[in-house]
Amino acid sequence: MENFIYANPVKIIFGKDTIKEIVNEIPKGSKVLMTYGGGSIKNNGVYDQVVKALSAYEWYEFSGIEPNPHYETCMKAVALIKEKGIDFILSVGGGSVLDATKFIAAAVCFEGGDPWQILSKRSEVKKALPFGDIITLPATGSEMNAGAVITRAETQEKLAFGSPYTYPKFSVLDPTVTYSLPPRQIGNGVVDAFVHVMEQYLTYSESNALLQDHMAEAIVKTLVIEGPKALITPTDYDVRANLMWASTWALNGWISQGVPEDWATHMIGHEITAFYGLDHAQTLAIVLPGVMTVLKEQKGKKIIRLGKEVFGTDDIDDTIKAVEGFFEKMGVKTHLSDYGLDDEAIAKVSDRLAKRGWKLGECGNITADTVKEILTIRK
Ligand code: NZQ
Ligand code: ZN
């Protein structure tokens, strides 16, 4: 196991009827901005609960944050915050609203020119407005990490950043708010969380970090057992609670301590979304089986371990098939052609990665040519 330093400051408020607890977390006298997306919170009762809970505060709202949130939209919220003198942001929605909120919080305080540089140049974030969230879609783990992914529509770029200042002060996880998720988003969430674990677990196997491995397997087993049930019985509380907590743990930093990390599937997937607008999890479902196949030798010991622990097989190819089958079972298609993409998409994505000069994966050996190979077998 490698050395590590780990701190996660996010306070989790978990369970039924917990939205009202935000009054104990947002400092009294704050001027609050509620951020949200396209309106799902108005249809499932979450908005009304938040309005009630905010009655003691002066508060404003900023809506219309889109999936794969845009830098351009975030900058409108930055202007509103400056105009109104907001000092606390409350994100109410999925990973997109929360990621946008993290960027907005950092951009408001950024003094180095255009805040896009936080993403394009990885300019240091030296402070951020405090924020908390009510997460409505278990998937990204954004509720218990400091990362965010933002898209610039104008240039079709999707880039990530993270900072010690962009951890939520608190996250409310009420599994009942996820009852209203459409099947597509249930599937997306489970696939995203599954792939988060793979990025931190399915690497070359020299880490000897047994506890992290067991934890990773526990999260994945939970997703494999409960995911399909959420599609069949969407209002089963325990199923939703297990999925919500498993998704949070998949990317709260815990299982990555002291071990190598991959993230190639995400980096390739982000480019597919940037160019073609696929849902984040759809891109992962296409790419991961390709990464596993092309890097079979490097990742072999871990693939076999995954097969034995989770899918009841000790064969590498059967494990890759089982992973693909699980994504399909969750309703997320796994080939480029399922989304109308072909050789043009493969060329565009691999050309951009060549231009960026990125070498991906836990060994830094996934070049643009490897990406072409990975995507070609996923046609
Ligand atoms: O916009 P509204 O109307 O709220 O509808 C949303 C949206 O259309 C809807 N939704 C959310 N909660 C709902 C609901 N509909 C009914 N009932 C509910 N309870 O679902 C749609 C998708 O929401 P979105 O927030 O985009 O999904 P998700 O949570 O999967 O977030 C995806 C974004 O997170 C980034 C992705 O790249 C993508 O931009 N990621 C963030 C990460 C992080 N911060 O750590 C890590 C991930 O790897 C990921 O990259
Ligand atoms: Zn993800």
Side-chain angles (χ1 to χ4, degrees):
M1 201 188 306
E2 303 294 329
N3 293 0
F4 63 87
I5 296 173
Y6 179 59
N8 190 316
V10 183
K11 181 170 183 177
I12 297 291
I13 300 167
F14 190 99
K16 284 176 199 166
D17 204 18
T18 44
I19 291 177
K20 59 181 188 292
E21 298 295 329
I22 61 174
V23 291
N24 300 320
E25 305 302 327
I26 303 175
K28 302 274 173 280
S30 298
K31 260 195 198 179
V32 182
L33 181 68
M34 184 206 312
T35 49
Y36 62 99
S40 68
I41 63 164
K42 289 202 167 160
N43 299 328
N44 62 8
V46 171
Y47 179 85
D48 292 341
Q49 291 183 60
V50 176
V51 168
K52 200 169 165 199
L54 288 179
S55 61
Y57 297 87
E58 178 179 345
W59 66 275
Y60 300 86
E61 59 183 67
F62 181 85
S63 64
I65 296 173
E66 53 283 278
N68 306 307
H70 292 176
Y71 159 80
E72 291 87 344
T73 306
C74 293
M75 291 311 290
K76 289 181 192 158
V78 168
L80 180 65
I81 286 170
K82 287 184 176 166
E83 183 199 323
K84 302 289 183 196
I86 301 291
D87 43 32
F88 196 95
I89 316 177
L90 178 67
S91 163
V92 188
S96 291
V97 175
L98 182 48
D99 280 12
T101 299
K102 290 177 180 177
F103 180 71
I104 293 162
V108 168
C109 302
F110 188 68
E111 289 173 353
D114 182 354
W116 177 247
Q117 296 171 88
I118 296 170
L119 297 146
S120 64
K121 294 190 184 160
R122 298 270 176 140
S123 296
E124 194 189 347
V125 171
K126 294 186 179 149
K127 55 180 174 169
L129 221 56
F131 61 93
D133 67 273
I134 295 160
I135 195 82
T136 63
L137 199 173
T140 59
S142 191
E143 65 276 13
M144 204 174 169
N145 69 44
V149 194
I150 303 293
T151 295
R152 188 162 193 161
E154 186 197 351
T155 52
Q156 292 189 306
E157 286 175 282
K158 184 173 184 186
L159 298 170
F161 87 101
S163 145
Y165 298 99
T166 49
Y167 280 103
K169 297 290 174 209
F170 64 84
S171 292
V172 175
L173 280 62
D174 178 346
T176 65
V177 311
T178 70
Y179 291 170
S180 57
L181 281 167
R184 170 167 156 189
Q185 299 303 344
I186 296 173
N188 279 348
V190 170
V191 168
D192 191 21
F194 184 100
V195 179
H196 291 158
V197 177
M198 293 303 113
E199 302 278 25
Q200 303 161 87
Y201 166 86
L202 211 63
T203 56
Y204 64 84
S205 55
E206 287 166 24
S207 61
N208 299 324
L210 206 54
L211 181 61
Q212 287 87 324
D213 284 351
H214 282 299
M215 285 292 297
E217 286 150 7
I219 296 166
V220 167
K221 280 183 199 171
T222 305
L223 296 169
V224 168
I225 293 168
E226 302 289 70
K229 289 189 205 162
L231 291 172
I232 298 163
T233 50
T235 55
D236 182 323
Y237 180 80
D238 288 325
V239 167
R240 296 303 200 150
N242 284 324
L243 286 178
M244 201 163 208
W245 197 216
S247 307
T248 301
W249 271 84
L251 198 50
N252 67 1
W254 206 97
I255 59 169
S256 67
Q257 300 310 314
V259 303
E261 295 178 69
D262 180 343
W263 296 105
T265 298
H266 270 70
M267 293 299 115
I268 302 167
H270 287 172
E271 299 299 345
I272 300 176
T273 297
F275 283 126
Y276 299 102
L278 268 63
D279 294 349
H280 173 59
Q282 293 172 335
T283 70
L284 306 177
I286 297 167
V287 179
L288 181 69
V291 168
M292 291 172 79
T293 306
V294 171
L295 295 164
K296 206 184 271 191
E297 217 163 291
Q298 180 177 309
K299 294 176 181 291
K301 286 186 190 154
K302 270 294 179 59
I303 298 177
I304 290 172
R305 191 180 161 121
L306 174 74
K308 277 190 193 151
E309 293 293 330
V310 180
F311 295 109
T313 172
D314 54 10
D315 180 82
I316 291 185
D317 292 322
D318 286 348
T319 303
I320 299 172
K321 272 190 212 128
V323 168
E324 195 174 319
F326 175 59
F327 294 164
E328 294 273 351
K329 191 170 178 182
M330 290 309 304
V332 186
K333 296 282 176 207
T334 55
H335 290 87
L336 287 167
S337 55
D338 293 322
Y339 304 95
L341 301 183
D342 53 21
D343 290 331
E344 185 206 285
I346 298 174
K348 237 172 151 171
V349 168
S350 50
D351 284 356
R352 179 175 264 178
L353 289 169
K355 277 198 198 102
R356 291 198 201 283
W358 287 351
K359 294 205 170 77
L360 305 172
E362 73 268 17
C363 297
N365 57 354
I366 303 184
T367 62
D369 285 340
T370 326
V371 170
K372 198 175 267 178
E373 194 185 342
I374 288 166
L375 292 178
T376 300
I377 58 171
R378 302 307 301 160
K379 283 206 271 188

